[in-house]
Amino acid sequence: MNTRHNTGGATVHHVLVLGGGYAGLSAAIQLAARTRRREEIQVTLVNARERFTERMRLHMTATGQRLADLSIPELLAGTGARFVRGWATAVDADARTVRIDDDQVLHYDTLVYGLGGVADTSAVPGAEEHAYALNGAQDAEVLAGRLARLGSGTVLVAGSGLTGVESAAEIAERYPELDVVLLGRTEPGAAMRPKAGAYLRAALDRLGVRVRGGAEVAKVLPGAVELTGGESVAADVVVWTSGTRVSPLAAAAGLTVDERGRVVTDAALRSVSHPEVFAVGDAAAIRQGYGVMHGTCQGGMPTGVHAAVSVLRVLKGREPRAFRFGYYHTPVSLGRHDAVVQFTRPDDSPRRIHLTGRMAVRYKETVTASPWPTYGRMKKMPASGAFWPRGGRFTRVVRGAR
């Protein structure tokens, strides 16, 4: 099916948004809210499921906790954007089409590419077959069922980053009868200031989580993992949170990508090889003064908003502005009753200030729930979504710098 058509003799410009995560949904809402009275622009969001995945709460879903059922069509309601449910299986950058579920073809004039990252279970033999990952609500629900049936035994969380820490803490708090092991190359909280990192590790200790830093999984086996040094660690359940990979569709379409498969963009978030394609969130390799941005919700939503504004500037014949973003915090849940928030400089290096305990819990919950009021404000006042920390000198890219 080709969606190009005319309205009252005027050609419709089709903006297709691939991926309904935090970044993609931000782009779709911002674009549609700003153009809802313009019939010559049609915004369509494609996502595999109607249910929005709260990635920041997947560790809660994995322990059987009920979350609000958020519908993407309902979140888009009132903007005029269309929603298409289906898996994007191919992008033809020359024909400007996207194949959906191998039986539907959608045309685009402008593409916003937001197919974000998932846990890289392909990096280590056996992880794909024998480990659980938190790539979406369905995966988390499968893990929740396994944990509920386990009764006793060892749960090994591979990866000591923020997802691993939050998952290990949540499982240990929810199932105190289980032996929870958090294993990774670095100590959890290593990127924080010493006091904040020490608080995080002490909280894991209070929850009974056994931490093994300086360890790397070489192979996942049924009932165990094998470390690079040859040691075998028994595990009834392995939760894989180490590393990320992105969809291969961009590379297969011939877009310029980096070594991780992310779309390489210019300062305005356009593909350097295909300027009709904008990339957002984890799918994009976005360079700032401090380096290429790493995947995070605090950066994902601003990329979506900026891409939307850039698309509209291009359609008006104007040059889009450069995207600039600075990090400002790292909030980490430590179960339902504890948390630590490390405030950061725009380049993501830690500041001296941090929060712990109940105050940190309230702060983390406010951050996690913030997308919904933000989307609501954007629908009513689109310009309200275009404010985020820009990081001053940290985000300025020197002309000609690599």
Side-chain angles (χ1 to χ4, degrees):
M1 179 179 74
N2 192 308
T3 61
R4 184 187 290 275
H5 63 278
N6 292 342
T7 300
T11 300
V12 176
H13 187 99
H14 291 279
V15 181
L16 189 62
V17 182
L18 285 188
Y22 295 103
L25 191 57
S26 296
I29 290 176
Q30 184 72 202
L31 270 166
R34 287 176 180 260
T35 61
R36 62 182 130 210
R37 293 181 178 85
R38 297 174 61 182
E39 294 184 354
E40 72 275 16
I41 298 176
Q42 174 65 62
V43 179
T44 301
L45 174 64
V46 177
N47 197 62
R49 296 183 177 86
E50 289 190 5
R51 178 182 176 184
F52 182 84
T53 298
E54 289 191 88
R55 295 191 68 86
M56 291 188 289
R57 297 189 195 267
L58 284 177
H59 55 283
M60 297 171 62
T61 304
T63 53
Q65 299 174 67
R66 295 283 298 176
L67 303 180
D69 193 0
L70 299 164
S71 162
I72 292 177
E74 289 179 9
L75 291 169
L76 291 173
T79 66
R82 293 194 313 133
F83 174 73
V84 174
R85 178 179 176 178
W87 290 95
T89 56
V91 175
D92 188 329
D94 294 327
R96 297 194 185 186
T97 59
V98 176
R99 184 170 292 278
I100 309 297
D101 289 335
D102 291 327
D103 61 3
Q104 183 180 12
V105 176
L106 300 180
H107 166 84
Y108 67 84
D109 297 294
T110 299
L111 179 67
V112 179
Y113 186 89
L115 298 178
V118 296
D120 191 5
T121 51
S122 65
V124 171
E128 193 80 52
E129 297 82 6
H130 306 302
Y132 294 82
L134 301 181
N135 292 332
Q138 190 171 16
D139 291 340
E141 288 163 359
V142 171
L143 174 58
R146 178 71 178 102
L147 293 174
R149 296 189 302 271
L150 191 55
S152 62
T154 299
V155 176
L156 187 143
V157 180
S160 54
L162 302 187
T163 302
V165 169
E166 291 192 326
S167 300
E170 205 76 34
I171 293 169
E173 181 180 83
R174 192 77 168 175
Y175 298 101
E177 69 277 10
L178 296 178
D179 181 20
V180 180
V181 178
L182 177 61
L183 185 149
R185 290 188 289 270
T186 61
E187 291 290 330
M192 296 179 171
R193 295 280 290 190
K195 285 186 178 180
Y199 185 93
L200 182 150
R201 290 185 290 274
L204 291 173
D205 186 59
R206 286 195 301 273
L207 290 167
V209 177
R210 289 194 292 125
V211 174
R212 291 199 57 175
E216 186 173 358
V217 177
K219 186 182 297 184
V220 181
L221 306 166
V225 298
E226 183 180 304
L227 305 185
T228 52
E231 179 186 356
S232 180
V233 180
D236 298 280
V237 172
V238 176
V239 182
W240 195 264
T241 69
S242 179
T244 59
R245 71 172 187 263
V246 298
S247 169
L249 290 188
L255 276 66
T256 298
V257 298
D258 70 357
E259 68 283 354
R260 292 174 53 185
R262 299 175 297 182
V263 178
V264 178
T265 72
D266 66 8
L269 307 187
R270 292 175 296 196
S271 162
V272 296
S273 59
H274 294 74
E276 72 281 359
V277 177
F278 289 75
V280 297
D282 295 350
I286 304 167
R287 180 164 293 280
Q288 300 286 278
Y290 48 76
V292 177
M293 290 177 59
H294 63 77
T296 172
C297 177
Q298 63 179 307
M301 292 179 67
T303 65
V305 172
H306 190 86
V309 174
S310 295
V311 169
L312 294 176
R313 288 181 68 88
V314 170
L315 292 181
K316 292 176 182 177
R318 301 163 66 186
E319 188 66 21
R321 296 190 176 99
F323 176 74
R324 291 175 60 185
F325 174 81
Y327 298 98
Y328 48 98
H329 64 201
T330 302
V332 187
S333 294
L334 299 168
R336 293 298 84 215
H337 309 291
D338 201 358
V340 58
V341 180
Q342 173 68 71
F343 292 96
T344 67
R345 298 182 182 87
D347 64 352
D348 209 28
S349 61
R351 295 185 185 273
R352 295 180 65 86
I353 187 171
H354 67 277
L355 300 177
T356 59
R358 292 183 179 180
M359 188 176 295
V361 170
R362 289 195 292 270
Y363 185 100
K364 176 64 160 62
E365 178 54 31
T366 300
V367 169
T368 303
S370 65
W372 323 127
T374 300
Y375 290 146
R377 285 193 301 271
M378 282 200 297
K379 288 162 70 170
K380 296 177 181 177
M381 300 178 293
S384 68
F387 296 96
W388 57 83
R390 286 167 169 80
R393 61 183 176 84
F394 288 87
T395 57
R396 294 195 184 100
V397 178
V398 178
R399 188 179 298 276
R402 294 292 178 183

